[in-house]
Amino acid sequence: MLNYHVHVFRNALTAIIDTQSHRLCHEPRWPELNAFPLGSCDLANNMLALYLREQGYNPKIIWCRNDLADYPEILSHVWVEVDDKFVDITISQFPRLIRERVHIVNKFDPGILNDIYFHCRGRNQTASGSEYPSQQQTQTTRPQTI
């Protein structure tokens, strides 16, 4: 069911961006959505988490800085953790690394998000759940996600 809800949300978000931009273009964070999925991991995955909460899940936002040499194009990234799975609807912004529109993987399986998460956690460079910085804090305390 998680897979279904994530796909429904991403498809709806894409449709809204494509067809309702005239209603959204004056919103403060419109530039992030206008470039979806590029540079929109914070906003898009936070909206996904809200939607999943409404569907009865207990999502947790994950934010990590990245300094792993294998993934130089990722300075920092935001995704969702649900039921020991990592969920990311913006991962396709890194086409050299992965080409999936929707990325759902077991939290403990090897892969990009797992590598970054456990590396950052070991270096105390991750925030999740209620530790996740607010938008105002993110603008001054972490590099902008590409």
Side-chain angles (χ1 to χ4, degrees):
M1 230 27 210
L2 175 65
N3 197 8
Y4 170 81
H5 289 295
V6 172
H7 280 272
V8 164
F9 178 83
R10 192 184 193 284
N11 291 343
L13 180 61
T14 301
I16 289 167
I17 291 167
D18 289 345
T19 64
Q20 300 297 313
S21 61
H22 63 285
R23 294 180 185 195
L24 300 171
C25 65
H26 301 292
E27 295 297 324
R29 294 185 74 183
W30 169 247
E32 290 172 74
L33 285 181
N34 193 33
F36 180 83
L38 304 174
S40 61
C41 62
D42 180 19
L43 184 58
N45 282 308
N46 269 280
M47 290 190 303
L48 172 62
L50 290 172
Y51 172 76
L52 291 175
R53 189 168 306 283
E54 290 174 358
Q55 303 307 310
Y57 295 94
N58 187 26
K60 182 168 66 168
I61 293 294
I62 304 295
W63 166 69
C64 286
R65 287 186 182 115
N66 177 52
D67 60 2
L68 289 171
D70 289 345
Y71 314 119
E73 55 267 77
I74 303 176
L75 301 178
S76 69
H77 196 52
V78 176
W79 64 90
V80 180
E81 180 182 340
V82 182
D83 300 332
D84 284 332
K85 295 190 183 320
F86 286 150
V87 179
D88 190 350
I89 60 172
T90 65
I91 195 79
S92 63
Q93 70 182 298
F94 309 113
R96 182 187 73 82
L97 303 174
I98 197 160
R99 296 186 181 269
E100 298 174 350
R101 292 175 62 248
V102 172
H103 188 61
I104 302 174
V105 295
N106 183 306
K107 175 181 178 177
F108 301 102
D109 286 351
I112 296 167
L113 298 181
N114 176 291
D115 290 349
I116 293 171
Y117 176 75
F118 286 104
H119 178 75
C120 290
R121 196 171 84 172
R123 297 180 60 146
N124 243 359
Q125 294 178 334
T126 183
S128 62
S130 61
E131 301 170 41
Y132 183 70
S134 70
Q135 175 58 21
Q136 289 179 345
Q137 291 172 320
T138 62
Q139 292 176 350
T140 60
T141 61
R142 67 181 172 111
Q144 183 176 355
T145 305
I146 57 170

